[in-house]
Amino acid sequence: MTANSERRQALLDQRYGKQIQPGNMIWNDQIEHLLNHRSVRAFLSDPLPEGALETMIAAAQSASTSSAQHQWSVVAVSGEQKTKLHDLIAPTVPMDRIPWIDDAPTVLLWVADISRSTAIAEAQGGDPIVHNYLDAFLLASIDASLAAQNAAVAAESLGLGVVFLGMMRNAAQEVAELIDLPQSSFVTFGMAVGRPDAKRPSGVRPQLPQEVILHRNRYQHDGLQDHVSGYEDAYRDFRETWGMDNNTWQDAVHRSATSMAYMGGRENLRDTMVKRGFKLR
Ligand SMILES: Cc1cc2nc3c(=O)[nH]c(=O)nc-3n(C[C@H](O)[C@H](O)[C@H](O)COP(=O)(O)O)c2cc1C
């Protein structure tokens, strides 16, 4: 095996464990980079390198955007404002301190933002009735998500690490007020970004095999049951390697689906969205 093929096989081993792996991968540097993703939750407090933020945002602005409407914004939070953000979110999660918010030099708040489109339509005497529908909310959320993922990939290519922070929605209205968001916008999620602390590394998490995720022409309804025990093995091995408690994946899924504690305040999101100007019809 050449060094290239060994490295690439190691990436597949980490992503799928001993489950069935795709045997016909077409490799290049970019694919390797994508497969090497892992969330980082241990950061050095060094500021982002000069130009890193702008580079990430240029990458974000290179993602597709529905109907070229650019219905997203991003607020880069650091310093005292980041401490306030941390203190808003900490009471909504079962931990006193959220190190990946505390330590990371910057938290990016990705905003689903139809405020500009609303203002432009109204400035021309129009009534932006299309924004009254659920689809407007979804469209802006998708735009923000695609932009953020491009930024994440860019950050990782610069040697930075990121973790997405859905927990920002636990206090959606308070976060919006903290950063002075206009009506018709909300923070879909945050993203802590910074230099990973090499002394506290994280690993590539195994994923379900493609047999469960990739459907051809029609959805295969029985795919999961055939493969779940193999995935549990990969999941257990990952947790053992990284010193995590030995819950099963199905237990974790069950808890997330059945415990209201998992919501951490997000059960109120619909009311907050309506208050923020999304009518969600
Ligand atoms: C939209 C979104 C929100 C997330 N929110 C959080 C969060 O609030 N806290 C956290 O620690 N990780 C969060 N994550 C990270 C996921 O837990 C992580 O991506 C997943 O476990 C897979 O691990 P990996 O990113 O290392 O592959 C979030 C991920 C996404 C996509």
PDB file of all heavy atoms in Angstrom, residues 15 37-39 41 100 163-167 189 203 205 207, ligand 1:
ATOM      1  N   ARG A  15     -14.454   6.305   9.471  1.00  0.00           N
ATOM      2  CA  ARG A  15     -15.825   6.756   9.163  1.00  0.00           C
ATOM      3  C   ARG A  15     -16.835   5.628   9.261  1.00  0.00           C
ATOM      4  O   ARG A  15     -17.993   5.832   9.622  1.00  0.00           O
ATOM      5  CB  ARG A  15     -15.841   7.392   7.761  1.00  0.00           C
ATOM      6  CG  ARG A  15     -17.102   8.098   7.374  1.00  0.00           C
ATOM      7  CD  ARG A  15     -17.510   9.198   8.334  1.00  0.00           C
ATOM      8  NE  ARG A  15     -16.717  10.414   8.247  1.00  0.00           N
ATOM      9  CZ  ARG A  15     -16.639  11.323   9.237  1.00  0.00           C
ATOM     10  NH1 ARG A  15     -17.289  11.148  10.366  1.00  0.00           N
ATOM     11  NH2 ARG A  15     -15.891  12.399   9.112  1.00  0.00           N
ATOM     12  N   HIS A  37     -13.303  15.242   8.626  1.00  0.00           N
ATOM     13  CA  HIS A  37     -14.004  16.150   9.550  1.00  0.00           C
ATOM     14  C   HIS A  37     -14.271  15.482  10.903  1.00  0.00           C
ATOM     15  O   HIS A  37     -14.644  14.318  10.970  1.00  0.00           O
ATOM     16  CB  HIS A  37     -15.352  16.587   8.969  1.00  0.00           C
ATOM     17  CG  HIS A  37     -16.289  17.092  10.030  1.00  0.00           C
ATOM     18  ND1 HIS A  37     -16.154  18.346  10.580  1.00  0.00           N
ATOM     19  CD2 HIS A  37     -17.323  16.498  10.697  1.00  0.00           C
ATOM     20  CE1 HIS A  37     -17.081  18.501  11.523  1.00  0.00           C
ATOM     21  NE2 HIS A  37     -17.802  17.401  11.609  1.00  0.00           N
ATOM     22  N   ARG A  38     -14.067  16.248  11.940  1.00  0.00           N
ATOM     23  CA  ARG A  38     -14.566  15.894  13.273  1.00  0.00           C
ATOM     24  C   ARG A  38     -14.873  17.202  13.985  1.00  0.00           C
ATOM     25  O   ARG A  38     -14.189  18.211  13.766  1.00  0.00           O
ATOM     26  CB  ARG A  38     -13.572  15.042  14.064  1.00  0.00           C
ATOM     27  CG  ARG A  38     -12.346  15.672  14.681  1.00  0.00           C
ATOM     28  CD  ARG A  38     -11.177  15.957  13.727  1.00  0.00           C
ATOM     29  NE  ARG A  38     -10.764  14.952  12.797  1.00  0.00           N
ATOM     30  CZ  ARG A  38      -9.828  14.026  13.053  1.00  0.00           C
ATOM     31  NH1 ARG A  38      -9.241  13.975  14.231  1.00  0.00           N
ATOM     32  NH2 ARG A  38      -9.469  13.187  12.123  1.00  0.00           N
ATOM     33  N   SER A  39     -15.943  17.207  14.812  1.00  0.00           N
ATOM     34  CA  SER A  39     -16.239  18.410  15.596  1.00  0.00           C
ATOM     35  C   SER A  39     -15.144  18.597  16.624  1.00  0.00           C
ATOM     36  O   SER A  39     -14.633  17.630  17.192  1.00  0.00           O
ATOM     37  CB  SER A  39     -17.579  18.264  16.312  1.00  0.00           C
ATOM     38  OG  SER A  39     -18.633  18.305  15.397  1.00  0.00           O
ATOM     39  N   ARG A  41     -14.225  20.354  20.229  1.00  0.00           N
ATOM     40  CA  ARG A  41     -14.822  20.961  21.428  1.00  0.00           C
ATOM     41  C   ARG A  41     -13.753  21.365  22.439  1.00  0.00           C
ATOM     42  O   ARG A  41     -14.055  21.603  23.603  1.00  0.00           O
ATOM     43  CB  ARG A  41     -15.841  20.001  22.059  1.00  0.00           C
ATOM     44  CG  ARG A  41     -17.040  19.724  21.165  1.00  0.00           C
ATOM     45  CD  ARG A  41     -18.112  18.893  21.846  1.00  0.00           C
ATOM     46  NE  ARG A  41     -19.234  18.627  20.962  1.00  0.00           N
ATOM     47  CZ  ARG A  41     -19.273  17.671  20.032  1.00  0.00           C
ATOM     48  NH1 ARG A  41     -18.228  16.873  19.864  1.00  0.00           N
ATOM     49  NH2 ARG A  41     -20.335  17.515  19.282  1.00  0.00           N
ATOM     50  N   TRP A 100     -16.497  24.817  24.976  1.00  0.00           N
ATOM     51  CA  TRP A 100     -16.262  25.128  23.568  1.00  0.00           C
ATOM     52  C   TRP A 100     -16.817  26.494  23.172  1.00  0.00           C
ATOM     53  O   TRP A 100     -16.484  26.992  22.105  1.00  0.00           O
ATOM     54  CB  TRP A 100     -16.723  24.010  22.620  1.00  0.00           C
ATOM     55  CG  TRP A 100     -18.035  23.352  22.893  1.00  0.00           C
ATOM     56  CD1 TRP A 100     -19.203  23.595  22.246  1.00  0.00           C
ATOM     57  CD2 TRP A 100     -18.302  22.315  23.828  1.00  0.00           C
ATOM     58  NE1 TRP A 100     -20.188  22.770  22.738  1.00  0.00           N
ATOM     59  CE2 TRP A 100     -19.666  21.975  23.700  1.00  0.00           C
ATOM     60  CE3 TRP A 100     -17.533  21.641  24.774  1.00  0.00           C
ATOM     61  CZ2 TRP A 100     -20.275  20.987  24.481  1.00  0.00           C
ATOM     62  CZ3 TRP A 100     -18.138  20.663  25.546  1.00  0.00           C
ATOM     63  CH2 TRP A 100     -19.484  20.344  25.407  1.00  0.00           C
ATOM     64  N   VAL A 163     -17.259  23.561  15.874  1.00  0.00           N
ATOM     65  CA  VAL A 163     -18.402  22.736  16.282  1.00  0.00           C
ATOM     66  C   VAL A 163     -19.664  23.575  16.107  1.00  0.00           C
ATOM     67  O   VAL A 163     -19.688  24.755  16.485  1.00  0.00           O
ATOM     68  CB  VAL A 163     -18.274  22.181  17.723  1.00  0.00           C
ATOM     69  CG1 VAL A 163     -18.183  23.276  18.773  1.00  0.00           C
ATOM     70  CG2 VAL A 163     -19.423  21.236  18.057  1.00  0.00           C
ATOM     71  N   PHE A 164     -20.654  22.980  15.484  1.00  0.00           N
ATOM     72  CA  PHE A 164     -21.951  23.659  15.344  1.00  0.00           C
ATOM     73  C   PHE A 164     -22.621  23.709  16.722  1.00  0.00           C
ATOM     74  O   PHE A 164     -22.406  22.827  17.553  1.00  0.00           O
ATOM     75  CB  PHE A 164     -22.868  22.887  14.384  1.00  0.00           C
ATOM     76  CG  PHE A 164     -22.536  23.060  12.921  1.00  0.00           C
ATOM     77  CD1 PHE A 164     -21.437  22.450  12.354  1.00  0.00           C
ATOM     78  CD2 PHE A 164     -23.347  23.828  12.098  1.00  0.00           C
ATOM     79  CE1 PHE A 164     -21.140  22.593  11.008  1.00  0.00           C
ATOM     80  CE2 PHE A 164     -23.065  23.979  10.741  1.00  0.00           C
ATOM     81  CZ  PHE A 164     -21.958  23.367  10.193  1.00  0.00           C
ATOM     82  N   LEU A 165     -23.458  24.704  16.933  1.00  0.00           N
ATOM     83  CA  LEU A 165     -24.086  24.889  18.242  1.00  0.00           C
ATOM     84  C   LEU A 165     -25.593  25.119  18.094  1.00  0.00           C
ATOM     85  O   LEU A 165     -26.065  26.259  18.113  1.00  0.00           O
ATOM     86  CB  LEU A 165     -23.453  26.093  18.960  1.00  0.00           C
ATOM     87  CG  LEU A 165     -21.942  26.018  19.212  1.00  0.00           C
ATOM     88  CD1 LEU A 165     -21.399  27.369  19.648  1.00  0.00           C
ATOM     89  CD2 LEU A 165     -21.649  24.946  20.255  1.00  0.00           C
ATOM     90  N   GLY A 166     -26.318  23.992  17.951  1.00  0.00           N
ATOM     91  CA  GLY A 166     -27.772  24.104  17.893  1.00  0.00           C
ATOM     92  C   GLY A 166     -28.332  24.668  19.188  1.00  0.00           C
ATOM     93  O   GLY A 166     -29.434  25.224  19.210  1.00  0.00           O
ATOM     94  N   MET A 167     -27.559  24.547  20.263  1.00  0.00           N
ATOM     95  CA  MET A 167     -28.021  25.026  21.575  1.00  0.00           C
ATOM     96  C   MET A 167     -28.334  26.528  21.577  1.00  0.00           C
ATOM     97  O   MET A 167     -28.999  27.008  22.486  1.00  0.00           O
ATOM     98  CB  MET A 167     -27.004  24.680  22.671  1.00  0.00           C
ATOM     99  CG  MET A 167     -25.641  25.251  22.439  1.00  0.00           C
ATOM    100  SD  MET A 167     -24.520  25.052  23.846  1.00  0.00           S
ATOM    101  CE  MET A 167     -24.072  23.337  23.803  1.00  0.00           C
ATOM    102  N   PHE A 189     -28.297  28.457  14.272  1.00  0.00           N
ATOM    103  CA  PHE A 189     -27.329  27.742  15.114  1.00  0.00           C
ATOM    104  C   PHE A 189     -26.072  28.588  15.189  1.00  0.00           C
ATOM    105  O   PHE A 189     -25.877  29.521  14.397  1.00  0.00           O
ATOM    106  CB  PHE A 189     -26.986  26.340  14.551  1.00  0.00           C
ATOM    107  CG  PHE A 189     -26.678  26.351  13.085  1.00  0.00           C
ATOM    108  CD1 PHE A 189     -25.465  26.790  12.608  1.00  0.00           C
ATOM    109  CD2 PHE A 189     -27.636  25.947  12.171  1.00  0.00           C
ATOM    110  CE1 PHE A 189     -25.189  26.830  11.256  1.00  0.00           C
ATOM    111  CE2 PHE A 189     -27.372  25.985  10.809  1.00  0.00           C
ATOM    112  CZ  PHE A 189     -26.143  26.430  10.348  1.00  0.00           C
ATOM    113  N   GLY A 203     -11.986  12.720  17.630  1.00  0.00           N
ATOM    114  CA  GLY A 203     -11.843  11.709  16.581  1.00  0.00           C
ATOM    115  C   GLY A 203     -12.923  11.821  15.519  1.00  0.00           C
ATOM    116  O   GLY A 203     -13.952  12.466  15.727  1.00  0.00           O
ATOM    117  N   ARG A 205     -15.965  10.566  13.802  1.00  0.00           N
ATOM    118  CA  ARG A 205     -17.070   9.720  14.294  1.00  0.00           C
ATOM    119  C   ARG A 205     -17.552   8.765  13.211  1.00  0.00           C
ATOM    120  O   ARG A 205     -17.753   9.177  12.070  1.00  0.00           O
ATOM    121  CB  ARG A 205     -18.277  10.592  14.657  1.00  0.00           C
ATOM    122  CG  ARG A 205     -18.286  11.019  16.080  1.00  0.00           C
ATOM    123  CD  ARG A 205     -19.558  11.808  16.354  1.00  0.00           C
ATOM    124  NE  ARG A 205     -19.457  12.407  17.650  1.00  0.00           N
ATOM    125  CZ  ARG A 205     -20.013  11.902  18.748  1.00  0.00           C
ATOM    126  NH1 ARG A 205     -20.736  10.805  18.700  1.00  0.00           N
ATOM    127  NH2 ARG A 205     -19.869  12.499  19.899  1.00  0.00           N
ATOM    128  N   GLN A 207     -20.104   6.701  10.990  1.00  0.00           N
ATOM    129  CA  GLN A 207     -21.443   6.979  10.470  1.00  0.00           C
ATOM    130  C   GLN A 207     -22.112   5.670  10.077  1.00  0.00           C
ATOM    131  O   GLN A 207     -21.446   4.642   9.927  1.00  0.00           O
ATOM    132  CB  GLN A 207     -21.313   7.867   9.226  1.00  0.00           C
ATOM    133  CG  GLN A 207     -20.876   9.284   9.545  1.00  0.00           C
ATOM    134  CD  GLN A 207     -22.048  10.218   9.751  1.00  0.00           C
ATOM    135  OE1 GLN A 207     -23.169   9.928   9.325  1.00  0.00           O
ATOM    136  NE2 GLN A 207     -21.810  11.341  10.401  1.00  0.00           N
TER     137      GLN A 207
HETATM  138  C1  LIG B   1     -27.097  21.848  13.288  1.00  0.00           C
HETATM  139  C2  LIG B   1     -26.158  21.215  14.282  1.00  0.00           C
HETATM  140  C3  LIG B   1     -26.223  21.582  15.612  1.00  0.00           C
HETATM  141  C4  LIG B   1     -25.316  21.041  16.535  1.00  0.00           C
HETATM  142  N1  LIG B   1     -25.370  21.456  17.826  1.00  0.00           N
HETATM  143  C5  LIG B   1     -24.448  21.033  18.709  1.00  0.00           C
HETATM  144  C6  LIG B   1     -24.440  21.556  20.032  1.00  0.00           C
HETATM  145  O1  LIG B   1     -25.284  22.375  20.412  1.00  0.00           O
HETATM  146  N2  LIG B   1     -23.476  21.123  20.881  1.00  0.00           N
HETATM  147  C7  LIG B   1     -22.532  20.227  20.482  1.00  0.00           C
HETATM  148  O2  LIG B   1     -21.666  19.879  21.284  1.00  0.00           O
HETATM  149  N3  LIG B   1     -22.500  19.722  19.218  1.00  0.00           N
HETATM  150  C8  LIG B   1     -23.436  20.107  18.328  1.00  0.00           C
HETATM  151  N4  LIG B   1     -23.420  19.647  17.032  1.00  0.00           N
HETATM  152  C9  LIG B   1     -22.357  18.716  16.608  1.00  0.00           C
HETATM  153  C10 LIG B   1     -22.850  17.292  16.441  1.00  0.00           C
HETATM  154  O3  LIG B   1     -23.028  16.714  17.711  1.00  0.00           O
HETATM  155  C11 LIG B   1     -21.810  16.517  15.616  1.00  0.00           C
HETATM  156  O4  LIG B   1     -21.714  17.082  14.338  1.00  0.00           O
HETATM  157  C12 LIG B   1     -22.194  15.045  15.505  1.00  0.00           C
HETATM  158  O5  LIG B   1     -22.127  14.410  16.757  1.00  0.00           O
HETATM  159  C13 LIG B   1     -21.259  14.309  14.538  1.00  0.00           C
HETATM  160  O6  LIG B   1     -19.921  14.433  14.969  1.00  0.00           O
HETATM  161  P1  LIG B   1     -18.800  15.070  14.056  1.00  0.00           P
HETATM  162  O7  LIG B   1     -19.213  16.465  13.687  1.00  0.00           O
HETATM  163  O8  LIG B   1     -17.561  15.038  14.888  1.00  0.00           O
HETATM  164  O9  LIG B   1     -18.708  14.192  12.830  1.00  0.00           O
HETATM  165  C14 LIG B   1     -24.326  20.106  16.108  1.00  0.00           C
HETATM  166  C15 LIG B   1     -24.298  19.731  14.761  1.00  0.00           C
HETATM  167  C16 LIG B   1     -25.193  20.271  13.868  1.00  0.00           C
HETATM  168  C17 LIG B   1     -25.126  19.862  12.413  1.00  0.00           C
END
